[in-house]
Amino acid sequence: DGDVYKYYADGEWKKSASGKSVPIINPTTRKTQYKVQACTQEEVNKVMEAAKAAQKSWARTPLWKRAELLHKAAAILKDHRASIAECLVKEIAKPAKDAVTEVVRSGDLVSYTAEEGVRILGEGKFLVSDSFPGNERTKYCLSSKIPLGVVLAIPPFNYPVNLAVSKIAPALIAGNSLVLKPPTQGAVSALHMIYCFHLAGFPKGLISCVTGKGSEIGDFLTMHPGVNCISFTGGDTGIAISKKAGMIPLQMELGGKDACIVLEDADLDLTAANIVKGGFSYSGQRCTAVKVVLVMESVADALVDKVKAKVAKLTVGSPEEDCDITPVVTESSANFIEGLVMDAKEKGATFCQEYRREGNLIWPLLLDHVRPDMRIAWEEPFGPVLPVMRINSVEEGIHHCNASNFGLQGCVFTRDINKALMISDAMETGTVQINSAPARGPDHFPFQGLKDSGIGSQGITNSINMMTKIKSTVINLP
Ligand code: G3H
């Protein structure tokens, strides 16, 4: 039936033989907005076979031609910004302007990846043997980067387009084929994005997009013998995937509890602005959101007042109206967030605003005087709720940050650059931002998490390198 979006395989749009579909619930209306195909394991097998076959000739397609196609896809993606953004608004309740930004940023990411790929994949290495003890100059080694094969990309709901292309573009420029398993919320946005790649004219089977239930095809995909690399962004599922995956390179980004350490000499207006942007953009549903503020007691009252004043100005409502705070992605997510709020309430946190929820919509909430015995001191709400913990020394702040299982990003606000650098050095996170909120972008910067926050490093250059292997040929002279 025409109501169900088709999946993409072998260069065609197909219905699943399962005859079943997966509903996508609009977070705002809480009604079914779209339906996608519930693909079967047999269909996944076919996609993998096609991906393997297509990759062989793609790897032999000249690099400049691969780049040309990616540039074409990037331009088409940008042309389709409005229709894709509309899906993002309906599926994941992303505020309208941010939804457009996500698509434009994605087009730029694809173009940049094409350019970067042409540069770094166009270079190889030449070594001679006599630099190693005991060797004469009798061996020449030529090495270059070759593709891995089939890359499986699994992006999360919060950036179903951008965190898909951040995997697709490096995989393709490096000569790999690509199988995309989009998140359920965001699947239609992802299918629209794939449609842009389809229009660009990539070879059949090189790119596919399978939709369906995690319980049916999730493990089947990640444990599939045809997969040569997995790039995943999401939650705890990533830990399970990394335990089950075979001997293949993994790129994982699994969330964080990014701390914002505020010293006594910080510019409090700048800090407050960044806390609100970092903590409440897309209603806190970003792995790089500020998830705990660790502020020196002497400036805590002043900072909390400034943050409160800015929180009061946030607009709350529907993504269509481009409100700052929009409904969180699912009802279960809203329930989880509420659980953290209630726990903090029972244990005596100070509520800077009244707690308010209607359906999936949760009003922005700042919790002051949070203590380590509260769940919200450690867990990531992935919602518009931000805890503030007061500290009496920098060491106390660093200690709290490093006691977390996560280690994605962190930030420090101070006018003393030496202190900032020492704190950055001491924080066990993949990135530390000085005087700004955590963020992944610009997208060519390295992006990585320590501990439970991930495996490997992303960012355009790192992703291209990660999706290749070194191949050498040694010329032995007589
Ligand atoms: O949700 C995780 C994303 O990688 C964060 O990206 O910093 O651009 O929001 P962002």
Side-chain angles (χ1 to χ4, degrees):
D1 62 314
D3 279 330
V4 185
Y5 277 82
K6 291 174 178 163
Y7 76 102
Y8 186 65
D10 230 2
E12 287 170 20
W13 299 93
K14 300 186 178 192
K15 280 187 192 175
S16 169
S18 71
K20 291 184 193 145
S21 64
V22 181
I24 296 167
I25 313 292
N26 180 324
T28 310
T29 62
R30 295 196 289 160
K31 296 204 170 88
T32 299
Q33 182 75 42
Y34 306 117
K35 287 179 194 163
V36 292
Q37 307 288 327
C39 290
T40 64
Q41 296 186 350
E42 196 37 52
E43 284 156 350
V44 168
N45 281 336
K46 283 199 184 132
V47 156
M48 290 297 169
E49 271 167 41
K52 192 173 177 180
Q55 192 266 327
K56 302 279 176 224
S57 47
W58 180 244
R60 287 193 300 272
T61 303
L63 184 51
W64 67 265
K65 274 196 186 170
R66 303 203 296 253
E68 206 171 67
L69 276 174
L70 282 169
H71 282 300
K72 206 169 160 193
I76 298 171
L77 194 58
K78 284 189 179 182
D79 285 348
H80 286 234
R81 71 185 80 180
S83 52
I84 298 176
E86 196 187 318
C87 296
L88 290 168
V89 166
K90 303 281 184 224
E91 284 187 290
I92 62 164
K94 184 163 277 198
K97 280 192 189 140
D98 290 354
V100 174
T101 305
E102 173 170 351
V103 184
V104 174
R105 174 183 180 182
S106 300
D108 290 338
L109 193 156
V110 173
S111 293
Y112 192 106
T113 307
E115 284 173 20
E116 184 73 348
V118 165
R119 305 285 166 253
I120 64 175
L121 298 165
E123 265 181 16
K125 250 190 170 183
F126 171 61
L127 292 93
V128 287
S129 51
D130 63 339
S131 55
F132 198 86
N135 283 272
E136 298 298 321
R137 200 180 173 88
T138 53
K139 290 172 189 287
Y140 292 166
C141 177
L142 306 168
S143 70
S144 64
K145 288 170 184 153
I146 57 164
L148 297 174
V150 179
V151 174
L152 173 63
I154 309 182
F157 80 83
N158 61 351
Y159 286 96
V161 174
N162 184 262
L163 282 170
V165 301
S166 74
K167 304 169 192 313
I168 296 171
L172 295 181
I173 193 68
N176 299 286
S177 57
L178 193 285
V179 176
L180 176 70
K181 164 66 179 76
T184 298
Q185 306 286 144
V188 174
S189 311
L191 287 166
H192 270 232
M193 174 272 295
I194 289 289
Y195 178 60
C196 299
F197 281 79
H198 171 78
L199 292 178
F202 284 89
K204 282 185 178 190
L206 186 72
I207 306 169
S208 20
C209 181
V210 287
T211 53
K213 293 197 180 85
S215 55
E216 174 72 14
I217 56 167
D219 279 355
F220 192 76
L221 273 164
T222 54
M223 294 167 77
H224 200 286
V227 171
N228 304 112
C229 169
I230 302 175
S231 179
F232 172 93
T233 307
D236 290 351
T237 332
I239 296 178
I241 292 174
S242 62
K243 284 183 181 149
K244 290 183 209 161
M247 208 179 72
I248 54 172
L250 300 177
Q251 187 181 49
M252 297 265 159
E253 199 257 284
L254 316 180
K257 185 72 185 170
D258 293 5
C260 172
I261 299 181
V262 187
L263 304 195
E264 281 155 327
D265 69 345
D267 174 337
L268 294 184
D269 290 309
L270 174 78
T271 310
N274 274 278
I275 287 173
V276 172
K277 183 166 166 271
F280 296 101
S281 297
Y282 188 36
S283 305
Q285 298 174 109
R286 295 165 55 237
C287 53
T288 48
V290 169
K291 298 215 175 91
V292 59
V293 176
L294 304 165
V295 55
M296 291 294 282
E297 179 70 60
S298 59
V299 291
D301 285 341
L303 180 70
V304 167
D305 280 348
K306 286 180 191 290
V307 175
K308 263 167 74 171
K310 288 184 189 296
V311 167
K313 290 193 184 132
L314 294 173
T315 54
V316 182
S318 77
E320 284 85 354
E321 286 165 306
D322 201 42
C323 288
D324 299 313
I325 303 294
T326 55
V328 297
V329 69
T330 57
E331 188 172 341
S332 67
S333 175
N335 292 343
F336 175 79
I337 297 161
E338 183 162 300
L340 293 180
V341 171
M342 291 309 144
D343 173 79
K345 188 174 190 180
E346 274 163 32
K347 293 173 184 160
T350 304
F351 280 52
C352 298
Q353 299 80 17
E354 206 183 321
Y355 174 66
R356 192 171 161 202
R357 171 182 172 186
E358 276 171 26
N360 293 1
L361 185 61
I362 293 176
W363 270 251
L365 180 62
L366 190 69
L367 297 174
D368 197 1
H369 299 286
V370 165
R371 292 190 320 263
D373 64 324
M374 299 175 192
R375 285 175 58 202
I376 198 145
W378 306 102
E379 296 179 44
E380 49 170 352
F382 236 71
V385 180
L386 182 59
V388 177
M389 300 177 79
R390 291 160 176 245
I391 53 173
N392 290 303
S393 67
V394 171
E395 290 69 30
E396 204 184 322
I398 292 169
H399 179 266
H400 184 85
C401 167
N402 292 351
S404 170
N405 289 338
F406 291 116
L408 190 61
Q409 293 206 359
C411 56
V412 51
F413 286 85
T414 172
R415 288 187 170 96
D416 184 334
I417 190 66
N418 292 335
K419 273 190 192 160
L421 291 173
M422 274 155 59
I423 292 168
S424 169
D425 212 34
M427 284 169 87
E428 293 165 4
T429 62
T431 303
V432 175
Q433 304 268 352
I434 297 172
N435 292 327
S436 186
R440 174 166 46 110
D443 290 333
H444 66 305
F445 280 14
F447 180 54
Q448 55 281 318
L450 305 186
K451 300 189 268 187
D452 285 354
S453 286
I455 302 176
S457 181
Q458 299 173 73
I460 290 171
T461 314
N462 287 340
S463 293
I464 296 172
N465 284 328
M466 183 265 170
M467 292 175 184
T468 61
K469 208 161 184 162
I470 305 287
K471 162 80 186 259
S472 344
T473 299
V474 180
I475 302 167
N476 289 274
L477 302 174

